[in-house]
Amino acid sequence: MIVRLLFFVLVFAICWIVYRQFTKAIAGKNKTPAKKNKDTQEEAMVKCAHCGTFVPTSHAIYDQHQTPFCCIEHKQEASR
Ligand SMILES: [Zn+2]
C-alpha cells in the first residue's frame, strides 16, 4: 500500500516538473518578442515646446536652443 502511494507521489512529482519546464519554455518564448518590442519603444520621448505632444527624439525638430518641437510649423510659430 505504501509502495503504491510512493509510486503515485513520484508520478505526480515527475508530472509537476514536466509541467513546470513546459510553462517555463512557453514563458521564455513569449518573453523574447516582448523584449524586442520594448527595445524599439525605449527611444526617449521629448515634449513639443509649442503644443506639448510627445515625439521620439529621432522625429523631433530642434531649434538653436535645443528646444524640441513636433513639427517645423510649431518650431516656426515658437520662434516668432
Ligand atoms: Zn507641436
Side-chain angles (χ1 to χ4, degrees), residues 20-36:
R20 286 278 305 267
Q21 293 287 328
F22 187 70
T23 50
K24 250 188 195 177
I26 287 170
K29 266 185 187 174
N30 289 342
K31 252 184 190 174
T32 325
K35 219 179 179 182
K36 263 186 187 172

Side-chain angles (χ1 to χ4, degrees), residues 48-53 69-71 74:
C48 172
H50 185 76
C51 66
T53 305
F69 295 96
C70 66
C71 54
H74 285 175

Side-chain angles (χ1 to χ4, degrees), residues 9-25:
V9 167
L10 194 74
V11 167
F12 182 79
I14 289 163
C15 284
W16 178 247
I17 289 161
V18 169
Y19 173 77
R20 286 278 305 267
Q21 293 287 328
F22 187 70
T23 50
K24 250 188 195 177

Side-chain angles (χ1 to χ4, degrees), residues 6 11 16 19 21 23 25 27-28 30 33-34 36 39-41 44 46-47 49 52 58 66-67 72-75:
L6 280 172
V11 167
W16 178 247
Y19 173 77
Q21 293 287 328
T23 50
N30 289 342
K36 263 186 187 172
D39 284 343
T40 52
Q41 288 170 0
V46 286
K47 198 179 178 183
S58 59
Q66 291 299 304
T67 310
I72 297 161
E73 285 80 19
H74 285 175
K75 187 195 160 194

Side-chain angles (χ1 to χ4, degrees), residues 53-70:
T53 305
F54 281 94
V55 278
T57 46
S58 59
H59 293 278
I61 293 145
Y62 296 92
D63 68 357
Q64 65 270 30
H65 307 294
Q66 291 299 304
T67 310
F69 295 96
C70 66

